[in-house]
Amino acid sequence: MRWDENHENPNFEDRRGEAPLRQGGGGIFGLFPFFAQFGWKGIAVFGLLAGGAYLFSGGNSTTTQQPAEGTPQENRMAKFVSAVHLDVENTWRQLLPGRYDNSKLVVFRGATQSGCGVGQSQMGPFYCPRDNKAYIDLSFYEDLRSRLGAPGDFAQAYVIAHEIGHHVQNLLGTSDKVHKAPARLQEGAGGLSVKLELQADCFAGVWAYHANKRGILDTGDVEEALAAAAAIGDDRLQKQGQGRVTPETWSHGSSEQRAFWLKRGMASGDPATCDTFAQSN
């Protein structure tokens, strides 16, 4: 994937230099009311990498911003995700003129404070609707490559585009409607939470379509993104983690579903084709 290393993204926050968080208060239970209201399953794309455990603190925390220090490879990765975020935002600004408000992308190490509580790297990348920010610990990409077998820069870009897809859903009111629905309608393989995730995959594909039109994709990029989508399907992750598939506990969709909707967005470039709620796939 071609990208501008000299870009400027005013909506990128590099928190890799933060001092360790001092956590207090309600611990992991502090965000349970938030889970009930907003449904973390709908916004944390890779939570299953932590075995389904979302690790947060609802108490107070203290952070100190310091200049980021990292290896040349990590620093280049930070620049890369910043460039991807900027490009995704510019695309949605054109697709939703007058309706798109900026998000922010936060890069951190270990743990960081968000508007939704203290997010830790074990949960994977996530989007917080309370502060309109997407969060990622760059070490996740090593898991994506080594544990899940999905290497490549465009696989990494897909992760960012998916999270900003959740931001689009938040702006359009889709997320709020899903999270206010009865729990019985949200849960399981055919539930609204899965449909919300699949729509975010489709929205990521919409961005990929326009990125390709601008000539920034390389040969093999599409295949990298599709491989990543398939690698993080609920069925595959459950098979790897517990040796069996339990569709009643799905939150993101099967490998086939995720690849299908990402590919659909890539083929059309039109958000209107991403109505996962009207389809049974």
Side-chain angles (χ1 to χ4, degrees):
M1 177 180 173
R2 302 175 182 89
W3 57 284
D4 179 12
E5 294 192 37
N6 298 315
H7 71 281
E8 294 186 6
N9 184 354
N11 295 311
F12 177 73
E13 294 183 29
D14 191 343
R15 298 185 188 174
R16 291 176 296 154
E18 277 185 344
L21 290 173
R22 185 177 70 248
Q23 300 179 19
I28 196 171
F29 298 100
L31 284 190
F32 276 8
F34 182 84
F35 293 168
Q37 181 179 2
F38 289 96
W40 268 101
K41 289 190 296 184
I43 55 178
V45 59
F46 298 112
L48 285 175
L49 289 183
Y54 301 107
L55 307 178
F56 300 96
S57 167
N60 297 324
S61 65
T62 301
T63 64
T64 302
Q65 187 71 41
Q66 299 291 340
E69 294 182 2
T71 65
Q73 181 180 6
E74 186 188 61
N75 291 338
R76 180 175 172 79
M77 177 63 67
K79 287 185 178 181
F80 172 74
V81 297
S82 171
V84 170
H85 174 254
L86 180 63
D87 195 81
V88 174
E89 290 239 290
N90 288 339
T91 298
W92 281 107
R93 197 172 292 111
Q94 294 172 9
L95 292 172
L96 300 175
R99 302 175 68 189
Y100 188 82
D101 292 328
N102 291 336
S103 66
K104 286 194 175 183
L105 177 66
V106 178
V107 170
F108 68 97
R109 284 197 190 108
T112 194
Q113 181 69 43
S114 79
C116 302
V118 177
Q120 297 187 8
S121 60
Q122 292 96 324
M123 71 172 290
F126 67 93
Y127 169 75
C128 175
R130 282 188 171 172
D131 58 17
N132 295 324
K133 294 180 180 181
Y135 294 79
I136 184 170
D137 185 324
L138 296 177
S139 65
F140 166 77
Y141 285 135
E142 176 57 27
D143 284 333
L144 189 65
R145 182 192 68 80
S146 62
R147 291 178 56 192
L148 300 178
D153 58 357
F154 203 68
Q156 297 160 356
Y158 152 66
V159 173
I160 304 301
H162 175 103
E163 295 305 335
I164 304 309
H166 283 309
H167 178 62
V168 173
Q169 292 171 325
N170 191 38
L171 294 177
L172 297 178
T174 309
S175 300
D176 192 48
K177 289 179 181 178
V178 167
H179 298 139
K180 286 181 177 179
R184 60 181 175 81
L185 298 180
Q186 296 187 42
E187 299 170 350
L192 296 178
S193 291
V194 165
K195 293 179 184 294
L196 194 72
E197 291 293 336
L198 295 177
Q199 186 179 66
D201 282 333
C202 188
F203 283 168
V206 167
W207 164 73
Y209 170 92
H210 293 280
N212 190 41
K213 286 291 185 181
R214 291 192 296 276
I216 65 175
L217 269 62
D218 292 322
T219 301
D221 279 347
V222 170
E223 289 74 17
E224 288 177 1
L226 291 172
I232 55 174
D234 283 330
D235 53 343
R236 183 173 297 186
L237 291 174
Q238 288 181 342
K239 188 70 173 177
Q240 292 174 347
Q242 62 189 25
R244 58 190 176 90
V245 177
T246 54
E248 65 273 13
T249 65
W250 286 4
S251 59
H252 295 77
S254 69
S255 294
E256 181 180 2
Q257 287 174 314
R258 300 200 72 166
F260 173 87
W261 283 103
L262 176 62
K263 193 173 182 178
R264 184 172 180 130
M266 287 179 173
S268 70
D270 183 0
T273 65
C274 295
D275 189 1
T276 56
F277 302 95
Q279 309 239 354
S280 58
N281 288 57

